[in-house]
Amino acid sequence: MSERQYRLLLGVILIMSLFFHWSVMLYAYIGVLLFEGVTNWRIPLLVSRIRYGKDARNPEQAACTLGIPFDVERAFRLIIGALLVVSVVVYPEALWSIPWFLGFALSMAGITGVCPMAMALKKAGFRS
Amino acid sequence: MNEKAPVSDDLTRTWQESVAVKITAVVLYAVVLVASLVAAFFLWNADERMERDYAEKADRLAYRVSVDAAGGRTLAGFSVNMERLLPGSGFSAAELRMGDETARTGDPGKDPVAILRPLPIGAGNACVLTLYHLSLHEAVRSRRSAVFIITGASAMVFGLFLTWVILKFITRPIHALVAATRAAISGDLSVRLDLAREDEFGALSRFFNRMLERIGEELAERKQAEERLRRSNEFIKTALDGMNDGISVIDARNFIIQGVNSKFLEEYNLREEDVIGKTCHEVTHRRLDPCGPPDDVCPMLETLTTGGHAVAEHVHYEHDGRKVFVEVSASPIMDEKGEVVQIVHVSRDITDRKQAEELLKKNKEQMANMLDSIHAGVLLIDSRRHEIVYANSFAANMIGAPRDVIAGRVCHQFVCPAEKGMCPITDKREAVDNSERVLLRADGSRLPILKSAMMMQYHGEEHIIESFIDISAIKRTEHELREANDELQAFMYSAAHDLRQPLVNIRGFSVELRQSLQEISAITAKHPDRFAPEERNKLDAIYQNDIQPELGFIESSVERMDGLINGLLKLSQLGHRVMRPERLDMNALVLTVQGSLMHLVREKNAVLSVAELPGVVADRLAMEQVMSNLLDNALKYLCPDRPGVIEISGERVNREVVYHVKDNGRGINRDDMPSGR
């Protein structure tokens, strides 16, 4: 499973959770994202290791240019998770549109492969 | 251009990499972001606005219901009326209470919110309309979901449309351009873009096509130029390798050899890798420093100094150390600034020439020694300028001047002084062989010489070689001999005259003696009895056998002596006579001679036959004398045993005429013939 496919999955799940008011699913979703971000045990990586072995790498992974020792995907997950926590748990009425935006953004990132946040993080120097 | 960029026409596999998808993604991000902001803006305090909306809707609905019920409608009519009004009103259910009766239409749902509106109908009975709608929280959430779902669906549709548009108008032409470019990169320059569009892509396709045509033309020109260059290089290499001189191209800065032809390698018995990169003096002179005067004048240094062509003779060394005499020429190759950057070094093996020159020098010395040893003067003269090139020592002695004075002078100053401008060799083109000429000596005296001259090639030019001997002694002897001869002729003439007189006396007296003896014989014949028979017989015997033959001997001796004297007289006259050559008709001349000798022909009973004789240029009297003598001798000495036959004939042999007088006479005894003939 590639990060792109995983993003599409994340986007679809987020939209469905919002549309069908699956609150538990939404909290679990946030939890998984934060867990992945904190531990770096990311599901695509784990799936790839299960499928291709211990040394499997993300095919999209490239060399770090600026040398910040933190993966883009970890940062990505932490930021998404943090945004969801803020918008869903802390200010649900004021920031109700952020989860929807994130859902559609993740879906489009999964479909098109263009993820502005990941690109910005890479540009900022995070390890991809 | 990024060669690693995935370029493919298969959009089913690479659609995510498509520019269209990326542009679409960026646009959709913007759309979703804007939609989120707009939705957040418009749905701000949505519950309050919805509450107001519901209140207003409830008022309007209550008004409609009250208007419809103004005619005294019943609850049943209300239900029917509400079923018509409720859908699309935003309310889930409506309930009308008239007194104790209640009529409800629709399902209020879970946790509904009720709005009560009193209706001014039903006199005396309170009539209240209760409208139910969902809780505001749920309603707001549903609206938000609806807004985002619609926005998302619209964005998806718009994205697909945008992608299609971009694909149609941008990506496909780009793909076509990419495919054409890839084909061009693969070498297929015949590919063309056929975009019937007038926009930027149409212009780009035309530029692309023109660019390919231009590249094709330039490639063709380049191929032609390369072919020409290749042929030129092959021609130059073939020409250089075919030349019989060793050629090398040398860097003018450090004398390092940069290229050589095959003859160079052959001359020095080296391989190309042994030569390239080494200095010329290292390869050809086996020395580490460049050649320099006075031993070896380097023509390349001269070329570097003067910028022109330079030639010198050098001794080079082959790989095995053998000396090679070479003529080295250096020609400059200049750059655009006019500075000498390379030098073309041409070395020609002149070892054979040097050996030939040495041999020639030796031969010259030997020839000079030989010519000096000859006891005759030899001059070598330039036929064009008539200048004396060489004189041997004998010639110098004869002329009376040193050789270096003679050399370079015009030949007419010494030989043939009277023939200036009439040189038989160069002007008249005649052969001069043993001709008497005069040599003008340095002191002004003249020396008679016997000269021969002939043309010869000397150093590739025509020269005259003249050889002559001093004949002044011969001339003196000849003069003396001529004087002696004159004296001898005078003596012979006088002797012949003096001898003729006694001979006439002898002939006369012998005739008288014969007559006297005949008279005595007649007398004795008259008187035969006066002599005894023995005496008579003895007298007859003496007369017949002794006196008659002896008188005959005297007469014949006189005749012979007369002939000798006549011959002597003629010889003396011949020496004085001046010859007058003229063209003679020999047939007429022989006929005249024959007439003068006719009596002798008849006497000898001989037959004289004369063939057709060729004419000749000669002295008439001398020829008559010769012919007369020959015929006279032939008639005189015919053989008495057979009839005489004399034949006269003549023939031309080259430029001479030979006459034959042939007889069948006694011939000449071999012992009487002069020896050696």
Side-chain angles (χ1 to χ4, degrees), chain A residues 4 15 18-21 23 92-98 100-101 104-116, chain B residues 15-17 21-22 25-26 28-29 32-33 36 39-40 43-44 137-138 141-142 144-146 148-149 151-153 156:
Chain A
R4 180 187 290 175
I15 290 170
L18 291 170
F19 186 78
F20 294 110
H21 311 296
S23 302
E93 287 304 314
L95 302 176
W96 62 269
S97 62
I98 288 178
W100 284 98
F101 172 75
F104 280 106
L106 284 170
S107 300
M108 283 192 294
I111 292 167
T112 63
V114 178
C115 181
Chain B
W15 62 273
Q16 287 174 327
E17 301 295 340
V21 172
K22 288 176 179 171
V26 172
L28 290 186
Y29 273 118
V32 170
L33 181 62
S36 301
L43 295 178
W44 189 261
H137 178 71
E138 287 297 323
R141 202 166 59 178
S142 297
R144 288 171 181 169
S145 298
F148 269 94
I149 290 300
T151 303
M156 195 62 71

Side-chain angles (χ1 to χ4, degrees), chain B residues 232-304:
Chain B
S232 175
N233 284 340
E234 281 182 5
F235 173 75
I236 290 170
K237 187 173 187 316
T238 306
L240 289 177
D241 285 344
M243 289 180 75
N244 202 30
D245 297 330
I247 299 172
S248 55
V249 178
I250 294 168
D251 192 329
R253 295 168 300 180
N254 46 25
F255 298 123
I256 285 178
I257 298 173
Q258 295 179 325
V260 294
N261 71 340
S262 57
K263 182 65 182 176
F264 185 94
L265 299 174
E266 187 185 322
E267 267 185 5
Y268 298 100
N269 195 19
L270 290 168
R271 296 172 301 173
E272 194 163 357
E273 54 265 30
D274 300 332
V275 175
I276 303 296
K278 292 186 179 176
T279 60
C280 57
H281 41 266
E282 192 178 349
V283 172
T284 59
H285 290 269
R286 309 180 98 188
R287 53 193 289 178
L288 296 175
D289 51 332
C291 308
D295 297 332
D296 282 320
V297 178
C298 180
M300 291 193 294
L301 285 174
E302 191 179 338
T303 295
L304 280 174

Side-chain angles (χ1 to χ4, degrees), chain B residues 118-348:
Chain B
L119 296 179
I121 58 173
N125 293 326
C127 186
V128 176
L129 176 65
T130 305
L131 295 168
Y132 298 96
H133 63 84
L134 297 174
S135 71
L136 286 177
H137 178 71
E138 287 297 323
V140 169
R141 202 166 59 178
S142 297
R143 185 167 289 187
R144 288 171 181 169
S145 298
V147 166
F148 269 94
I149 290 300
I150 291 167
T151 303
S154 302
M156 195 62 71
V157 172
F158 175 70
L160 288 171
F161 174 73
L162 187 62
T163 304
W164 176 79
V165 169
I166 294 171
L167 279 174
K168 180 170 178 59
F169 292 100
I170 297 176
T171 309
R172 282 179 188 163
I174 290 175
H175 274 242
L177 183 62
V178 168
T181 307
R182 192 164 48 188
I185 289 170
S186 309
D188 180 11
L189 294 178
S190 63
V191 66
R192 292 290 181 273
L193 279 176
D194 186 17
L195 299 178
R197 292 163 57 161
E198 294 300 325
D199 57 3
E200 291 83 348
F201 284 103
L204 181 63
S205 70
R206 288 192 292 277
F207 288 137
F208 181 79
N209 291 342
R210 202 176 302 164
M211 181 186 73
L212 284 183
E213 286 171 6
R214 181 77 181 166
I215 289 172
E217 289 170 3
E218 288 196 355
L219 273 179
E221 286 175 8
R222 187 175 167 183
K223 277 184 181 175
Q224 288 177 352
E226 284 176 351
E227 180 64 17
R228 283 198 297 272
L229 188 63
R230 188 184 64 77
R231 285 184 186 171
S232 175
N233 284 340
E234 281 182 5
F235 173 75
I236 290 170
K237 187 173 187 316
T238 306
L240 289 177
D241 285 344
M243 289 180 75
N244 202 30
D245 297 330
I247 299 172
S248 55
V249 178
I250 294 168
D251 192 329
R253 295 168 300 180
N254 46 25
F255 298 123
I256 285 178
I257 298 173
Q258 295 179 325
V260 294
N261 71 340
S262 57
K263 182 65 182 176
F264 185 94
L265 299 174
E266 187 185 322
E267 267 185 5
Y268 298 100
N269 195 19
L270 290 168
R271 296 172 301 173
E272 194 163 357
E273 54 265 30
D274 300 332
V275 175
I276 303 296
K278 292 186 179 176
T279 60
C280 57
H281 41 266
E282 192 178 349
V283 172
T284 59
H285 290 269
R286 309 180 98 188
R287 53 193 289 178
L288 296 175
D289 51 332
C291 308
D295 297 332
D296 282 320
V297 178
C298 180
M300 291 193 294
L301 285 174
E302 191 179 338
T303 295
L304 280 174
T305 307
T306 63
H309 184 75
V311 180
E313 286 188 5
H314 272 197
V315 175
H316 285 179
Y317 295 89
E318 282 188 357
H319 186 57
D320 55 3
R322 193 174 69 88
K323 271 187 179 180
V324 183
F325 290 94
V326 290
E327 183 185 80
V328 177
S329 65
S331 303
I333 297 175
M334 297 182 176
D335 60 5
E336 60 275 7
K337 297 175 187 171
E339 292 179 359
V340 180
V341 290
Q342 288 177 314
I343 295 171
V344 178
H345 175 283
V346 180
S347 59
R348 176 171 294 177

Side-chain angles (χ1 to χ4, degrees), chain B residues 541-669:
Chain B
I542 290 169
Y543 182 71
Q544 292 295 334
N545 298 333
D546 294 336
I547 295 174
Q548 280 284 28
E550 286 165 359
L551 282 173
F553 286 144
I554 291 169
E555 286 172 354
S556 64
S557 297
V558 166
E559 285 296 324
R560 195 172 173 187
M561 189 71 181
D562 186 46
L564 288 171
I565 290 169
N566 282 337
L568 199 63
L569 197 59
K570 285 179 184 174
L571 185 65
S572 66
Q573 288 173 345
L574 205 61
H576 285 286
R577 201 170 159 273
V578 177
M579 296 288 180
R580 290 190 178 80
E582 60 179 306
R583 181 161 290 283
L584 299 176
D585 180 0
M586 288 301 290
N587 294 303
L589 188 143
V590 170
L591 200 62
T592 305
V593 174
Q594 188 181 350
S596 67
L597 294 172
M598 190 52 73
H599 66 284
L600 200 57
V601 173
R602 286 180 187 147
E603 186 182 318
K604 294 288 186 180
N605 196 22
V607 175
L608 188 64
S609 66
V610 182
E612 184 67 22
L613 299 173
V616 70
V617 175
D619 182 78
R620 175 177 290 278
L621 198 59
M623 283 306 292
E624 281 180 354
Q625 189 69 48
V626 169
M627 278 296 170
S628 177
N629 286 346
L630 287 172
L631 284 176
D632 188 51
N633 282 338
L635 288 167
K636 276 181 182 172
Y637 299 104
L638 286 172
C639 185
D641 300 334
R642 51 179 181 263
V645 176
I646 300 169
E647 294 171 352
I648 303 172
S649 59
E651 59 178 340
R652 287 189 182 280
V653 178
N654 296 328
R655 298 183 64 187
E656 295 178 343
V657 179
V658 180
Y659 297 104
H660 304 278
V661 178
K662 185 180 173 185
D663 63 69
N664 60 345
R666 284 175 283 183
I668 303 171
N669 194 338

Side-chain angles (χ1 to χ4, degrees), chain A residues 34-105:
Chain A
L34 292 175
F35 177 79
E36 283 184 329
V38 170
T39 63
N40 202 23
W41 287 1
R42 289 175 280 141
I43 291 172
L45 200 59
L46 295 173
V47 171
S48 295
R49 284 182 181 175
I50 291 167
R51 289 181 64 182
Y52 304 112
K54 199 173 180 180
D55 297 331
R57 284 170 59 86
N58 182 358
E60 294 177 356
Q61 195 165 340
C64 176
T65 52
L66 296 180
I68 297 175
F70 204 85
D71 286 355
V72 167
E73 293 301 327
R74 283 181 74 183
F76 177 80
R77 281 159 177 73
L78 285 174
I79 291 169
I80 297 290
L83 283 172
L84 284 175
V85 166
V86 171
S87 60
V88 173
V89 179
V90 181
Y91 302 109
E93 287 304 314
L95 302 176
W96 62 269
S97 62
I98 288 178
W100 284 98
F101 172 75
L102 290 175
F104 280 106

Side-chain angles (χ1 to χ4, degrees), chain B residues 461-480:
Chain B
E461 291 184 4
E462 281 199 333
H463 283 71
I464 304 167
I465 182 161
E466 293 195 351
S467 59
F468 46 86
I469 56 172
D470 182 3
I471 58 169
S472 56
I474 296 172
K475 282 287 178 186
R476 279 196 302 274
T477 307
E478 193 178 70
H479 180 70
E480 290 170 4

